[in-house]
Amino acid sequence: RTEPSLVKRFVVDTLERSLKEFVRIRPRSQSSSCPFPSRPITLEEIFSRYIDVTAVPSRHFFHVLSLYTADELHKKKLSEFASRSLEAKDALYEYCKRERRSAAEVMW
């Protein structure tokens, strides 16, 4: 569970949204499973329970993000980071691990 003050700073200051704003998250593809509840949830709940905005993102993180974007360029890049190829692993290392980018920085 992410510390409430960090969630508030990310949602309110960075995204310029309300913690209590409700959203419904659905995958772009029907064949994908959804780690989020089917009911509307608050941004506070998303970033407190489901996404650790302070963590260095993993390949799986990029895969999940790729399922939720409608932008083809973003989908392509996210899928590249999620790939198991040696080039993708190197790119992911350079972009996230070496630079210590957080999930918040990647999403913003």
Side-chain angles (χ1 to χ4, degrees):
R1 193 165 168 116
T2 307
E3 185 180 319
S5 65
L6 295 174
V7 171
K8 181 179 180 188
R9 188 168 59 194
F10 177 67
V11 172
V12 176
D13 298 341
T14 304
L15 299 180
E16 298 179 347
R17 299 288 199 191
S18 166
L19 288 170
K20 301 304 178 194
E21 182 176 334
F22 280 90
V23 296
R24 178 171 286 159
I25 302 173
R26 289 177 272 206
R28 303 288 304 162
S29 165
Q30 297 293 7
S31 63
S32 304
S33 65
C34 183
F36 302 101
S38 58
R39 64 177 170 73
I41 58 177
T42 65
L43 291 175
E44 180 177 30
E45 187 175 359
I46 292 169
F47 295 109
S48 294
R49 295 186 182 169
Y50 296 96
I51 300 173
D52 180 356
V53 295
T54 64
V56 175
S58 65
R59 279 187 323 102
H60 180 72
F61 175 85
F62 285 100
H63 169 71
V64 171
L65 282 183
S66 75
L67 300 175
Y68 294 90
T69 184
D71 184 288
E72 285 304 314
L73 179 61
H74 291 165
K75 184 173 190 67
K76 182 180 179 208
K77 194 61 177 175
L78 292 166
S79 295
E80 285 175 13
F81 280 140
S83 169
R84 294 181 184 262
S85 73
L86 183 58
E87 294 82 14
K89 288 178 182 179
D90 287 344
L92 181 62
Y93 176 80
E94 286 297 318
Y95 184 72
C96 289
K97 310 284 189 221
R98 191 170 135 199
E99 297 295 324
R100 299 285 307 154
R101 281 192 172 90
S102 68
E105 291 171 303
V106 169
M107 289 184 292
W108 185 244

